[in-house]
Every structure is written in C-alpha cells, then in structure tokens.
Amino acid sequence: MSVLTRTPQFHIARLRGRNNEGVLLGIIALLLLLIAMFSPGTLSPAMFADILRSSVVNMALALGVLLIIISGGIDVSFTAIAIFAAYSTVVLMRSIGLDNGILPFLAAAVIGALLGIINAVLVAGFKLQTLIATLGSQGIVRGALLAFVGSVYISSLPSALAQIGDARLTTIGGSAVSVLVIPVILLAVGLAVVLRKTMFGRSIYAIGGAPESARRAGIRVGRVQTVIYIAAGALSGFAGMVHVALVGHASPFELVGTELTVIAAVVIGGASDAGGRGSVQGVALGVVLLALIQNSLVRLGVPGFWHTAVVGVVILLGVAIQAQSRRRRSKRSTILESAVTA
Amino acid sequence: MSSASTVAPSFLARVRRTLDAAGHTGNLGLLLAGVIIVFSLLNPSIFASPLNLQSIAYAVPEIALLALAIAVTMSSGGIDLSIVATANLSALGAASVSIALMAGGVPGDAAAATGIAVALTVGVGCGLINGLLVAKLRIAPILATLATMTLFSGFAVAVTRGTPLYGLPDAILALGVQTVAIIPVSFWLLILAVVVIWAVMNRTGLGLRIILVGASPEAADYTGIRRSRVLLSTYALSGAIAALAGILMSARSASATAEYGSSYLLLAITIAVLGGTNPLGGRAPIVGVGVAAIVLQAISSGFNGLHISPYIYQILQGLILVVVLVVEVRRGRLTKWITRMMSRPPADGAALAASTGAATPLKEQPTPKPLTQGSHEHD
C-alpha cells in the first residue's frame, strides 16, 4: 500500500512538505517576486532586517501556541500571560531596585509558567474545552494585571534591560538586528528537536491526532497536557519580555489583541486545528509570511485603513488552503484503504 | 428487582432532564434575585433606584443579543467569534445608507427602515460567509470566525477610514432612549427577539436540526440531515441576531463605528455559558441566556455603583465562565456516578449499558467526536 501511495505523486508530495512548507516557501518567493516587479526599490536588505525584527516576538509567542495546537487545543490567553509576566517583572525590578539583563527573561518565563498552571488545571484537570478555558483565563489574567499589578505606562526600563533591548547582533542595510534573535532561534531549534526526537514530543502529536488512541497506547494525556500548558506559559512569558525589551517600555495594554496574528501564523504554517500536525519550520515560514505581507503593504503604499482587511483575507485564505489540503489528504487515504480492502 | 433497577435510572433521567430544562433558568432567576438583593443592601440609595434599574435595562439588550448569537452557534457545536465585528459592520451599513437617503431628501422613518433592512442583510451576509467557511470549506468554526472577525472589522475600518458615523435617523435613535411602560423600547425588542429565537430553536424543524447537529454530527448525518445546509442557516441566524445588536449599539451611542464593543466577546461567551449553553453543542437555553445577560449587567452596574474597578469585573467574567463549566462537568460526573451506583445490581452487561445509555445526558454524547476526527487525520 505504501508503494501505491508513493508512486504517482512522489515528487510533488516531497516538494509540498509534510505540512505544506513547500507551498508556503513558494508563496513567499512569489510575493518577493511581485514586490520586485512592482516596486523594485523596496526589495532591500533593510526590508529583511525589518521583517526579522517584527517576527521575533511573534515567533517566540508562536512556539507556545504551536505546542498547544499540535496537541489539539487552542490558546487565546497567551498574549495576556505574556504581557502579565513581562510587565510585572518590570514592576518587580523597579520596586526592589534590581538591574540585570538576563534575570528578567528568566523571571518572566517563571511567571508565565505559573500562569500556565491555570490553563493546565482547567484543561488537564477539569477537561474543559480549550477555547473556553483559555478565554476565561485570559479575562482573569488580564483583569488581575490591570487591577492588581498596575495599569500605568512605564516609559523607561531598568538600564541593563534597556541595553539588552538595544544591543545589536549585526546591522543589515542600515537596520539593526537585535541580539534577542539568538535566544528565540535557540528556543525554536530546541523545540523542533523536542517535537521530532523525543518521546514527549511524539506524545504531543499522538494526543492531538487521536486522544483516545494515545491514551490506550499508554500515553498519560493529562500529564502531557499539563506540561504543554506550563511550557507554553513559560514561552509566552519569555516572549512578553522580548517584546518589552525591544520596544523599550512596558505597557500593560500591549500585545493583547494580537492573538489572531500569532494563531494564524501557526495555522498557516501547517498546524492543523484538529491537532496532530505542525512543525517549527512551518511556523517560522508562517510568521515570516505574515510579517512580509504587513511590511510590503506599507512599502507598496496601501493605505493604513486597508491593512487589517487585507491581513484578514490572507489569514482566511491560509486557513482555507490548510483545511482543503487536510481534507484532500484524508479523502485520499480512505479511498486507498477501501481499494486495498476490496 | 430488575424492574426496579431499570425504573430508577429512567426516572432519574427524567428528573435530570426537567431540571436541565427548567431548573437552570430557575436557578439563574434565583441568582439574579440574589445579585439584586446583595447590591441593594450594599448600596441601597443607588442600586435599587428606578433610574439605575432602567439604565440596566437599557444596557442589557445589545449584549444579550450578542450572547444569543453565540448560543445559537454553540448549540450547533460551533462558535461565532465574529459577532461583534458583524454587529459593527451591520450598524455601519445601516448608518451610511440611512444617512445618505436622508441627505437625498428621503423622510427619516423610511430611511431608518431601509437602514435596518440593510443592517440585517449585511448581518445575514456575514453569517453566510461564516457558514460557507464552516460548512463547505470545513474550516474549524473557531479559526474561520476568528479570521472573518479580522476581515469584517478590517473592512469596517477601511470603509469608514476609522472615523465614526453620526447623524442617524431619529427613528433609530429612539430605540436607544425611548420607553414604553417604563421599560426601554430596546428591552421590549429583546423580549420579542428571545421569544422568536426560542420558537425557532425549540418549535421548528430547523432548530431541532441545529441542536441535533450539535449533539452529534455523525448521528445527524446518518439521520439524513443535510449538515452543511443546517450550518449555513445557523450562522446566518447568528449574523442576523448580531446585526440587531449592532443597530441597538449604534442607537445607544448615537453613532456607528468599526471599533465599538471590543470587550463584548468574552462577556457574550460568558453569558451564553452561564445561561446554560453547552460549548460542545446540543443545547439551546434561549431564555436562560436572556436571564444570564441581566445577571451580568446587574453585577457590572453594582460594581460601578460601588466604584469597583472594571478590571475586577473582567476577572469575574473569566471566573464565572470557567467555574460554571467546571461545575457542569462535575455535576455531570456526579449524576453519572449515582445512576451507575443505582443500576449496579443487574450483572448482565446489556441492561447496564442500556441504563447508563439512557441516563447519559445529551451533552456527554459528543465525546467520541475527537476520536473519529482524529483517526481521519492519520493517513
């Protein structure tokens, strides 16, 4: 049967990639080509640096979301967790007079992990639907941040943290590339390895693909879910700190509201909303694609009022294409199965 | 002995069903009374004053309608996250058409009627787009409606260039300020809408099909229900309800904008769930949702009167949403456990399976869903 599936579409299937990564690369190349044709001046090294900069925070956030979407859930609380962790770390640093460049990132990750426990308890403990559970925790976390931690804009960060945020790794075409790209890339690579090479990573796919089968295969679904939600919380907290360091101020009203862009990047990157699919590479391509589109809208002079609508159309297309290809895939396999049994 | 053991579960099941049908709304009524009493005691001079109660009645309809739109889609097993964007886009449609008509010399009432018709058309149109994405393209409702939320609100921003529209016809503005027998016109409209939506969901074939699709899509397929057609109608209905909410929102604020009510989504879902809607589908407690909207608005108003931060209210919304569902899950498990204990004596598996099957509430049935979906994922 495996011979049957492989022979005719071997090359195309190979190019397409497991999660449509090839298609995404093609779309990105096509977009770059279009930009080069219609506005050749904009295709500069500086543009790549800009895209890289605007992708860093989204990529860090997307890693946590990827974990959860692979496991068959969805998370809308991660931006609230991110900004809660980052903002309260800055508030804490100011109140105890701590000035350090590395600790705040760890502290934010720890706070994020603690907040992730809320989601873990609701999803793994009480078996709530993930959308509803994380919607509830979003309200709780955001409300707690604004009511108890603070609702004022902090315009200056502790100096060591501000330095990290301004530190350049290199400069491409006059645009700076922050050193914070490095930890995000390391985390992405680390997550990719965990997902592909470890028992734990494979259990996440198993849970997302078929929870009941995973349970019968001996995977402790509740335990894996608990770890995922706590890890996603830690990643969100870290991402929130990256955001704060990069923008150079701490505002409790930022990040919340950008959930959709991140979720869209993950789904466009091939993670199936039904669970069991998705890869770090795909997510990276999804994040870059969305950043490229937003960036080129500005560069091509599309009026600002239209940006949200265009991004909405792109997200819809991406989601629709993924849904279609998934359907085709499942249809193909059932046809072949019936052919074999007949 | 066997007769007693089979009677017990079916009796329990019946008790459970009646409790589920009437009891939840009854409990909500008690909760509402409790909330009113507590805030009246805490803040006697302000909370129970007719003026405050009237202001609650002015604020309830728009959010109650949004929650009803959520409840209708939830009962089909989906969700419509684009309701607020749909409401704003519909209100903008109504505002721009009626303003343009009035500028062209059309009398205000006719312009208002046309505007409302336009709003409902826009709402149904948005709903049909959602329905097509969910039913035909098989995109998960969460993702499809998240995307259309961006699309609709992006479109609204693009069309208005981010500025609000003023100068609505008096007939629309009247919906936001006038009363009939002390009760605001908009609240009467809400009552009418609740009756109509209740009738659609509980007394028509469409409503039954929506709930069946929500309870078990596979069973619905085997029954010969055209699932995609039912889902299209569900989302169109939700869009129409959202459009009505949009009209009331613009009437109350005397303007239409792309960004009104951004905090309403969490609130609407909380109300729908508190009202007794099962996020997994299969239940449509329309009256309960209406009462739940009043409960939450009363809490919000009571907090305001006591100068409690609106952020605390946000925490409370999240807590209510989560706690209601946790209690639901627990209660379901408890009654299941009790029925199992009572039907323990007959040792033969068939009777046991039959009795637990009968006692299993409707909402528990969709559990095998992920299994079947998941098995398709692996090729």
Side-chain angles (χ1 to χ4, degrees), chain B residues 189-205:
Chain B
L189 263 180
L190 171 66
I191 294 174
L192 182 68
V194 165
V195 170
V196 171
I197 300 167
W198 179 87
V200 168
M201 294 304 286
N202 291 290
R203 289 287 179 272
T204 67

Side-chain angles (χ1 to χ4, degrees), chain B:
Chain B
M1 183 192 114
S2 67
S3 72
S5 59
T6 46
V7 162
S10 70
F11 172 73
L12 261 181
R14 200 181 306 155
V15 168
R16 220 192 115 75
R17 226 171 292 145
T18 30
L19 265 179
D20 270 352
H24 190 77
T25 312
N27 288 346
L28 279 174
L30 287 179
L31 181 64
L32 177 60
V35 166
I36 292 176
I37 290 169
V38 166
F39 282 116
S40 303
L41 289 176
L42 287 173
N43 199 356
S45 56
I46 294 175
F47 187 82
S49 68
L51 201 66
N52 189 51
L53 294 179
Q54 208 182 44
S55 87
I56 293 177
Y58 273 119
V60 163
E62 55 194 52
I63 184 61
L65 286 170
L66 290 175
L68 285 171
I70 292 273
V72 167
T73 47
M74 265 187 183
S75 61
S76 78
I79 194 164
D80 185 352
L81 301 173
S82 72
I83 42 163
V84 178
T86 303
N88 283 330
L89 195 59
S90 310
L92 281 169
S96 52
V97 167
S98 55
I99 291 168
L101 282 177
M102 283 198 299
V106 175
D109 287 352
T114 322
I116 291 173
V118 168
L120 288 173
T121 315
V122 172
V124 169
C126 290
L128 284 176
I129 293 176
N130 284 329
L132 279 174
L133 296 172
V134 172
K136 300 285 182 199
L137 294 182
R138 305 277 178 89
I139 304 176
I142 296 175
L143 290 177
T145 56
L146 259 180
T148 54
M149 177 175 93
T150 317
L151 183 63
F152 298 158
S153 66
F155 193 64
V157 171
V159 168
T160 60
R161 317 211 138 208
T163 51
L165 289 179
Y166 294 100
L168 295 166
D170 290 339
I172 290 185
L173 292 177
L175 293 175
V177 287
Q178 279 190 357
T179 59
V180 171
I182 322 172
I183 295 171
V185 177
S186 56
F187 200 86
W188 286 113
L189 263 180
L190 171 66
I191 294 174
L192 182 68
V194 165
V195 170
V196 171
I197 300 167
W198 179 87
V200 168
M201 294 304 286
N202 291 290
R203 289 287 179 272
T204 67
L206 174 66
L208 183 64
R209 282 192 288 271
I210 292 175
I211 293 170
L212 275 178
V213 165
S216 173
E218 298 231 316
D221 281 349
Y222 285 123
T223 325
I225 290 174
R226 291 197 209 165
R227 185 141 54 103
S228 58
R229 189 176 286 187
V230 171
L231 287 175
L232 263 180
S233 317
T234 310
Y235 286 88
L237 180 60
S238 147
I241 300 170
L244 204 56
I247 295 168
L248 294 184
M249 273 152 62
S250 65
R252 212 157 69 90
S253 65
S255 65
T257 88
E259 275 125 10
Y260 199 82
S262 55
S263 64
Y264 273 4
L265 191 58
L266 170 63
L267 183 58
I269 294 174
T270 306
I271 291 172
V273 169
L274 180 64
T277 318
N278 181 353
L280 295 173
R283 211 166 4 147
I286 302 301
V287 181
V289 173
V291 179
I294 305 177
V295 170
L296 273 162
Q297 194 53 46
I299 294 175
S300 160
S301 159
F303 273 27
N304 259 335
L306 295 171
H307 302 293
I308 297 174
S309 149
Y311 303 131
I312 306 262
Y313 180 57
Q314 198 178 10
I315 301 177
L316 193 73
Q317 284 173 32
L319 273 178
I320 290 176
L321 179 61
V322 164
V323 169
V324 168
L325 282 174
V326 167
V327 170
E328 278 284 298
V329 171
R330 288 278 130 136
R331 202 185 53 169
R333 258 185 230 157
L334 193 69
T335 36
K336 230 160 108 184
W337 182 76
I338 293 172
T339 38
R340 200 175 304 151
M341 283 294 121
M342 292 187 67
S343 57
R344 183 60 55 86
D348 54 323
L352 189 73
S355 62
T356 47
T360 311
L362 207 52
K363 65 184 165 98
E364 305 278 345
Q365 282 170 5
T367 31
K369 259 194 293 190
L371 188 100
T372 48
Q373 277 173 359
S375 60
H376 279 296
E377 298 309 322
H378 277 270
D379 40 344

